[in-house]
Amino acid sequence: MSTNISELSGRKGLKENLFEQLGLLAQETGTPSTEQLEKLAADFLIGKANTYGSASFYDFTREENKGKKVYVCNGSACLCAGTQPSVHEKLKLHYQENEIGDMCCLGRCHENSAFHIDGINYSGSAIDHLSDLAKNKETDRIKPNDVYQVKHIGTKVLTTEAESISSYYELLKLSLQKSPESLLEEIKISGLRGRGGAGFPMSFKLEACKKEINITKFVVCNADEGDPGAYSDRYLLEQQPHKVLLGMMLAGYIIGAEWGVLYIRGEYPEAVNICEVEINKLRALNILGRNIFGTNFNFDFKIIKAQGAYICGEETALLSSIEGQRPEVRVRPPYPAQKGLFNKPTIVNNVETLACIPYILSQGGKQYASIGKGKSTGTKLVSLDGYFNSPGIYEVDMGTPLRAVIDDLGGGFESAIKAMHIGGPLGGLVPISKINELSIDFESFNQAGFLLGHASIVCIPESFPIIKYIEHLFQFTAHESCGKCFPCRIGSTRGYEMMNKAQTSDYKINRKLLDDLLETLEIGSLCALGGGLPLPIKNALTYFEIELSEWMVQ
């Protein structure tokens, strides 16, 4: 990460964004040309190596993406469902092999068979009706073509019926009559913790950023929901966008920011389109811009469409990405609250976290804190995949038994499974024998040696080999690593090679060597990608030792 490039990229602000230009240049052929990258470097006063380094990193701008016309989801849920080989074969009836690429993940985990054509995602039975897809193309761009359950147990914080814009933003008008300090105090009282995985108290970030003296600050919504199996952020962006937008505006008022940046993953094109439509509605009602509701509060939004990189879910890599730099993880301190986007004070929070703010400021911090269990206050959205009889998005009070989520909301499993990967690729691998011991809260999972994370649930069926799933996790990490630190970049590749070799030859995995590799990843990696990967693999080695024994030697 270069602070000089951060400054140079920031000279043109958000309206003419370097990263956005890279994406636009890739639209026609799938990758920018060398001439285009050189011109872009000259326009932004940076080196040619910088624009090439960035373009060559992302799935949708790198040279390998050239000529791709259709993409098949290769996320964990679709992998375990076993639907994707058939999808690929059916696409080959209409496309050349070199025109078919991969995407991970499309957020269609509830029905699988997911693929992407011409800026639109499809799933379920759509693969059997390829010739009919064009008929609804324009509608599908702003209204997702899939349907899933949305229900709750306990308090409805995020799944309430959407109000009219004018009615909903009365909260903003009332909040602007209060001091930022009083609003911050409510968030402190609420105990709201980050819903993206780490569970870090949001009020800490807000307070740290608020204390910084700078005329330019940013609120960044991390909508790069790359965890395979998770589609709760997608639900909020597509069906509850104003909870997110209002949450960002309220956060902006608290810290003194005039810009909100929504960094939305390229794999969610409908979410990008829907948010653009809703932001334009706010502009038409004069709820964005200068002197909002006749006050001194100024605020506007910028949507940045990501270009395919899981690592951009890490907040500092995300900031580098917006700046047009190669999205490598930054060393901290300084933290984004002190030195973030374009070297300015910035708060970065995920979609679900920001969407909780309107409820807290309308109902009060004490009311929010009364929901949940212990330090895990409020509610949590849970994503259930296609192995449940009733897959979908479910909102539950923190502390709700995992068994209630599976049986009462999900309707139980439709077929025999042996484990659930909960919380994304870096979450815990939970055997079904542990279901009754867990509840949906941070402490329950941590104390049992797992991680709640995004609270997505990907089921691993009885017939799916655990060693194949471990291979998938190593391969995923190797592909998504930013490459800045050796333990993650090299260690994930070596782990994949180990697992693959054991399945394709008479090679036996040396358990001590594997344990050493996991330890190196865990303590030596710069961020949670390499550092978090060992957790589900250690879970697998603990709970599926007998199954894995045929591939290992002590």
Side-chain angles (χ1 to χ4, degrees):
M1 188 276 292
S2 166
T3 56
N4 290 334
I5 295 176
S6 296
E7 291 290 343
L8 289 169
S9 177
R11 285 170 61 251
K12 299 193 178 187
L14 287 167
K15 292 185 178 179
E16 190 175 348
N17 179 258
L18 174 56
F19 176 67
E20 190 173 38
Q21 293 301 312
L22 282 172
L24 292 172
L25 292 174
Q27 280 186 348
E28 186 175 347
T29 64
T31 186
S33 67
T34 301
E35 293 75 21
Q36 288 173 323
L37 292 174
E38 290 177 352
K39 184 179 185 305
L40 197 59
D43 289 344
F44 280 83
L45 303 179
I46 62 175
K48 300 173 186 176
N50 298 114
T51 52
Y52 178 80
S54 295
S56 62
F57 185 89
Y58 298 96
D59 288 345
F60 309 142
T61 60
R62 60 175 53 158
E63 181 69 25
E64 294 88 338
N65 190 53
K66 191 172 184 178
K68 295 291 186 287
K69 295 181 179 179
V70 60
Y71 300 85
V72 179
C73 180
N74 63 359
S76 304
C78 281
L79 172 74
C80 290
T83 56
Q84 301 314 88
S86 174
V87 170
H88 195 105
E89 289 302 312
K90 290 175 181 178
L91 288 173
K92 282 168 63 176
L93 299 175
H94 302 266
Y95 299 89
Q96 298 297 317
E97 183 66 47
N98 62 3
E99 294 176 330
I100 304 175
D102 293 318
M103 277 191 178
C104 183
C105 136
L106 299 185
R108 299 300 184 97
C109 317
H110 59 95
E111 61 182 5
N112 310 118
S113 297
F115 61 100
H116 175 103
I117 298 177
D118 193 24
I120 302 173
N121 291 340
Y122 299 96
S123 52
S125 62
I127 188 63
D128 297 318
H129 307 283
L130 283 174
S131 59
D132 298 327
L133 299 184
K135 296 176 183 177
N136 299 314
K137 185 183 295 186
E138 296 311 311
T139 301
D140 288 344
R141 290 190 192 283
I142 57 172
K143 185 178 180 182
N145 50 53
D146 64 327
V147 178
Y148 50 84
Q149 297 275 355
V150 178
K151 294 183 179 179
H152 77 286
I153 289 179
T155 313
K156 294 176 73 171
V157 172
L158 300 171
T159 56
T160 55
E161 294 295 322
E163 301 176 36
S164 68
I165 293 177
S166 57
S167 172
Y168 194 57
Y169 282 80
E170 280 294 313
L171 174 61
L172 178 61
K173 184 185 291 186
L174 292 171
S175 297
L176 294 179
Q177 297 170 15
K178 302 176 182 178
S179 68
E181 291 77 13
S182 65
L183 301 185
L184 176 58
E185 184 61 25
E186 290 299 327
I187 293 176
K188 284 184 181 179
I189 293 170
S190 75
L192 175 63
R193 295 168 65 181
R195 296 320 200 226
F200 190 78
M202 188 189 191
S203 62
F204 285 16
K205 289 186 178 182
L206 289 170
E207 187 166 35
C209 194
K210 181 175 172 20
K211 288 179 179 177
E212 292 295 310
I213 301 173
N214 201 306
I215 60 171
T216 303
K217 296 181 181 181
F218 298 97
V219 175
V220 175
C221 176
N222 181 350
D224 196 46
E225 180 181 52
D227 288 345
Y231 52 105
S232 50
D233 288 357
R234 181 190 154 219
Y235 158 73
L236 290 170
L237 293 168
E238 293 176 355
Q239 298 190 37
Q240 302 276 6
H242 287 286
K243 285 185 171 61
V244 183
L245 299 176
L246 179 54
M248 293 179 70
M249 295 182 76
L250 291 165
Y253 176 62
I254 290 170
I255 67 170
E258 295 189 355
W259 275 102
V261 182
L262 287 107
Y263 186 95
I264 306 177
R265 59 197 313 256
E267 295 88 345
Y268 287 177
E270 299 89 349
V272 173
N273 297 336
I274 288 169
C275 286
E276 284 180 344
V277 169
E278 298 308 314
I279 287 171
N280 286 333
K281 289 180 182 178
L282 292 178
R283 288 201 181 101
L285 292 169
N286 295 317
I287 300 177
L288 287 179
R290 302 194 64 78
N291 305 121
I292 297 170
F293 292 131
T295 69
N296 293 325
F297 180 55
N298 309 318
F299 201 85
D300 212 334
F301 287 105
K302 174 70 175 182
I303 293 179
I304 301 288
K305 182 179 179 180
Q307 296 296 327
Y310 178 77
I311 194 62
C312 290
E314 198 281 333
E315 63 177 5
T316 63
L318 183 153
L319 296 175
S320 292
S321 177
I322 296 173
E323 294 171 353
Q325 301 195 59
R326 195 173 175 91
E328 293 183 342
V329 174
R330 302 179 183 181
V331 177
R332 289 164 289 189
Y335 293 93
Q338 286 82 40
K339 192 174 183 179
L341 183 60
F342 306 133
N343 294 332
K344 307 300 182 185
T346 304
I347 63 158
V348 184
N349 279 104
N350 101 307
V351 174
E352 188 176 341
T353 312
L354 289 162
C356 291
I357 294 178
Y359 181 93
I360 292 169
L361 297 185
S362 64
Q363 303 300 315
K366 287 184 179 179
Q367 165 60 23
Y368 188 86
S370 71
I371 308 165
K373 178 182 178 182
K375 293 181 180 179
S376 296
T377 62
T379 66
K380 184 74 192 76
L381 294 180
V382 182
S383 310
L384 302 187
D385 75 358
Y387 272 103
F388 289 88
N389 286 309
S390 296
I393 295 293
Y394 296 99
E395 182 174 21
V396 301
D397 289 0
M398 283 285 201
T400 299
L402 179 59
R403 173 64 70 185
V405 174
I406 291 171
D407 291 343
D408 299 343
L409 293 176
F413 305 114
E414 69 164 14
S415 57
I417 71 159
K418 57 185 172 186
M420 299 171 294
H421 198 177
I422 301 178
L426 313 179
L429 193 68
V430 180
I432 57 171
S433 61
K434 290 288 182 178
I435 290 175
N436 292 335
E437 300 175 25
L438 296 171
S439 57
I440 302 296
D441 58 85
F442 298 115
E443 287 70 35
S444 171
F445 273 70
N446 290 344
Q447 290 166 9
F450 304 116
L451 181 73
L452 179 63
H454 228 105
S456 55
I457 301 182
V458 173
C459 295
I460 302 175
E462 286 281 6
S463 58
F464 198 97
I466 288 294
I467 191 169
K468 185 177 178 181
Y469 195 76
I470 295 175
E471 177 191 24
H472 162 68
L473 295 178
F474 272 123
Q475 186 178 29
F476 173 85
T477 305
H479 177 77
E480 300 294 351
S481 174
C482 78
K484 186 169 184 174
C485 69
F486 290 160
C488 178
R489 186 180 77 204
I490 298 174
S492 57
T493 300
R494 294 294 171 263
Y496 166 71
E497 291 171 348
M498 257 190 217
M499 300 301 145
N500 182 264
K501 189 175 179 180
Q503 294 174 83
T504 57
S505 70
D506 58 0
Y507 171 76
K508 298 290 184 182
I509 299 166
N510 184 300
R511 178 61 189 270
K512 185 178 186 308
L513 180 64
L514 177 59
D515 288 343
D516 287 348
L517 174 63
L518 295 176
E519 183 181 17
T520 302
L521 279 160
E522 193 169 38
I523 66 177
S525 296
L526 188 58
C527 82
L529 179 55
L533 174 64
L535 175 63
I537 296 171
K538 286 182 174 180
N539 292 155
L541 291 169
T542 298
Y543 296 109
F544 296 95
E545 184 177 14
I546 296 175
E547 178 182 335
L548 291 170
S549 62
E550 68 171 293
W551 314 104
M552 311 230 174
V553 292
Q554 296 298 322

